[in-house]
Structures are given as C-alpha cells and as structure tokens.
Amino acid sequence: MSIVTITINMIFVVILAMPSISTAEVFYPEPDKDNMHFINDLFDIKCPATENKRSVYLCALTMLRKSPEDSLKSKESLLWLSSENIVDAKYSLFISRKSLKISDQEAVKYLMEAAKEGLPKAQLELSKLYLHGEILQQNNEESYKWIKNSAEGKNYEGMRYLSKYYFSGTGVKKNDSLGFFWLHKLYEDYGPLFDDWGLLGRVYETGRGTPVDLVKAYMCYDLEGTAGIEEKARIAPKMTAEQRVEGLRLSHEWQEKNHVYTMQSLGLSRQKDGSYR
C-alpha cells in the first residue's frame, strides 16, 4: 500500500471519529409580528410530550414554574435541547435563569451563543447587558453592534432602540437621518402593531432627520390617544385649521386601514373612574 493511500485512509478514519456538529435550529424565528404562532403552540401542547424537539421545548416552558420538580425537569430538557443546538432553548436558559437556578455567568454564555447564531431577541438582550453593564462590562460599541444585528433581523425593540442609538450617538456617531430611517421603517414594517406614536410625533415636530411636518406630528399625537392630547394642544397654535383637519384625517385613515382605533375616534371619553364611556 502506498504512502498516499495510507494517508487518505487515516484522514477518513479521523473524520469518522469526529463528533457530528448539529446545525443550529430555531423553532420560532423572528419576526413573528403578532407572536400568535408561538402562543397557539404553547396553548395546545399536552405534556409530557416527546414526539419531537419542538414539543419537548414547549413542555419545558409550560412546566417551568409549576413545582420544584417540574422546574428541574424543564432545566434538564432545556440543557439537552441546547446541547442539540436548539437556539430557542439557549435563549430560554438565559431568560429563565432565576427560575432554573442558573448563574448569570453561565446563562449569559447561552445568550451569547443564541445571539451569534442569529436570534434577534437574543441579540437585543445581549445589547441591553452591554448598555447597562449588567453581568457584562459596560460597552456602548458592543451594545450598538448587537442592537444593529437585532434591528436588521426585524425585532421590534431592536429597531426602536437602534433608532434611539443614532439619535443619541450611543456606541456610534450621532446620525439623525439614520435615526429617522429606522423609526420610520419600524412604522412601515409593523403596521397596526406600531405604538411609538409619541416618539415619531416628536421627530416630525422637531425635524430630527426629516423635515418638520406638523401635520404628520398632529396625526401621530392623535394616534397616541389620550396620551397625545397635551401634545396636540401644544402644537395646535402653530398650525392652521386646515392643517389640523388634515392631521386628523390622516389619523382616521390609518385607523381604518389597520383596524386599530383610539378611544376618541370611537366616541368615548375618559371618566373620573378611569373607564371610557
């Protein structure tokens, strides 16, 4: 047998001896804008369930806080799923670390793995840790890096935070145009689930990264509901009657399109007891 043949055979044996590396798998990728897919699966699961890894994961979450014994079983299941490279399980090990009695230092390792494997909500949590200096050393540049990844994965909070990072210059050079870009993208991408009307209204009112537009600001403050009453009153003197009417028209148009309505548009007003009639 030639030396070349021996070498090839040896390489083949080494490859066979190497442990297999499972590909990372995500059960509930983002954006799941209304989260109903996950909620429905969680509601429908019957435990114990062992037919597939997804059912094991859902059962682990369902049994997490029922009893000390159930929590221990949940922990074992999540650790096993994590070893199988299920990204959701790694994220859950971090989020539920207190209930599972996992140290912060161990839990953040799972979070980092989930973030590096591209889970936007894990990237969001990692960014927050760097921003506030919790568990990890405070680092605005690292926080910006991970919040940008989260935003690019269309995580709602990630997109909102990235907008604020650009407006404030947190971990990145201040850039109002990019701040407005990400806030407006959030507005466009999330449709009826968008609820940052106060922030978007202030951006239009002050011209942060976009020309001042009091009509759109008035629209946003109207869509903010009762929370926007004072804002509308503040900018109303700067507007013509026609502009105010147009702002309300845009607000009502958005509500009709997205089937989301403020209390005022439904003809209801706040009562002293906090109710609306």
Side-chain angles (χ1 to χ4, degrees), residues 190-206:
Y190 273 83
L193 296 177
F194 180 82
D195 64 357
D196 282 277
W197 297 114
L199 178 58
L200 186 58
R202 286 191 296 276
V203 167
Y204 279 125
E205 181 184 354
T206 59

Side-chain angles (χ1 to χ4, degrees), residues 185-252:
K185 182 173 176 58
L186 182 63
Y187 162 75
E188 289 185 324
D189 285 358
Y190 273 83
L193 296 177
F194 180 82
D195 64 357
D196 282 277
W197 297 114
L199 178 58
L200 186 58
R202 286 191 296 276
V203 167
Y204 279 125
E205 181 184 354
T206 59
R208 295 286 301 274
T210 188
V212 170
D213 192 328
L214 293 183
V215 171
K216 288 184 179 178
Y218 202 80
M219 174 198 77
C220 291
Y221 292 145
D222 189 64
L223 287 166
E224 200 178 6
T226 55
I229 292 175
E230 291 184 6
E231 283 85 351
K232 284 194 295 183
R234 185 183 65 248
I235 67 173
K238 304 175 187 177
M239 305 172 67
T240 65
E242 291 77 11
Q243 286 176 320
R244 294 194 295 273
V245 169
E246 177 63 8
L248 292 177
R249 186 192 69 78
L250 291 175
S251 171
H252 295 157

Side-chain angles (χ1 to χ4, degrees), residues 96-234:
S96 302
R97 63 192 182 279
K98 291 183 180 179
S99 298
L100 298 172
K101 297 187 179 355
I102 297 175
S103 70
D104 288 344
Q105 289 69 28
E106 181 183 357
V108 81
K109 292 178 183 178
Y110 291 110
L111 181 68
M112 283 188 170
E113 288 182 21
K116 290 176 180 177
E117 285 159 355
L119 190 65
K121 59 187 177 183
Q123 294 165 340
L124 169 68
E125 291 300 325
L126 186 57
S127 175
K128 289 180 180 179
L129 294 183
Y130 278 119
L131 178 66
H132 300 297
E134 298 175 4
I135 307 176
L136 300 169
Q137 185 174 356
Q138 200 274 339
N139 187 319
N140 285 347
E141 287 73 23
E142 280 293 306
S143 181
Y144 162 74
K145 180 183 80 173
W146 288 110
I147 208 66
K148 187 171 185 292
N149 287 337
S150 179
E152 289 172 346
K154 296 190 176 182
N155 176 278
Y156 188 101
E157 289 296 314
M159 295 169 77
R160 184 165 68 90
Y161 271 93
L162 182 59
S163 172
K164 291 183 176 181
Y165 276 37
Y166 280 122
F167 281 135
S168 63
T170 302
V172 66
K173 186 177 180 180
K174 185 178 177 181
N175 189 320
D176 284 353
S177 294
L178 284 175
F180 173 73
F181 169 83
W182 279 101
L183 181 60
H184 194 263
K185 182 173 176 58
L186 182 63
Y187 162 75
E188 289 185 324
D189 285 358
Y190 273 83
L193 296 177
F194 180 82
D195 64 357
D196 282 277
W197 297 114
L199 178 58
L200 186 58
R202 286 191 296 276
V203 167
Y204 279 125
E205 181 184 354
T206 59
R208 295 286 301 274
T210 188
V212 170
D213 192 328
L214 293 183
V215 171
K216 288 184 179 178
Y218 202 80
M219 174 198 77
C220 291
Y221 292 145
D222 189 64
L223 287 166
E224 200 178 6
T226 55
I229 292 175
E230 291 184 6
E231 283 85 351
K232 284 194 295 183
R234 185 183 65 248

Side-chain angles (χ1 to χ4, degrees), residues 34-80:
D34 60 3
N35 210 29
M36 288 306 297
H37 182 198
F38 169 70
I39 292 172
N40 288 338
D41 285 356
L42 197 62
F43 181 79
D44 292 338
I45 194 69
K46 304 297 181 186
C47 298
T50 58
E51 56 268 24
N52 54 54
K53 293 175 184 176
R54 186 191 297 263
S55 66
V56 172
Y57 174 66
L58 292 169
C59 274
L61 297 185
T62 301
M63 307 297 286
L64 188 59
R65 295 177 177 85
K66 290 198 171 182
S67 70
E69 294 78 13
D70 288 329
S71 292
L72 180 58
K73 291 177 182 177
S74 293
K75 180 178 180 179
E76 291 172 350
S77 294
L78 290 173
L79 287 171
W80 173 72

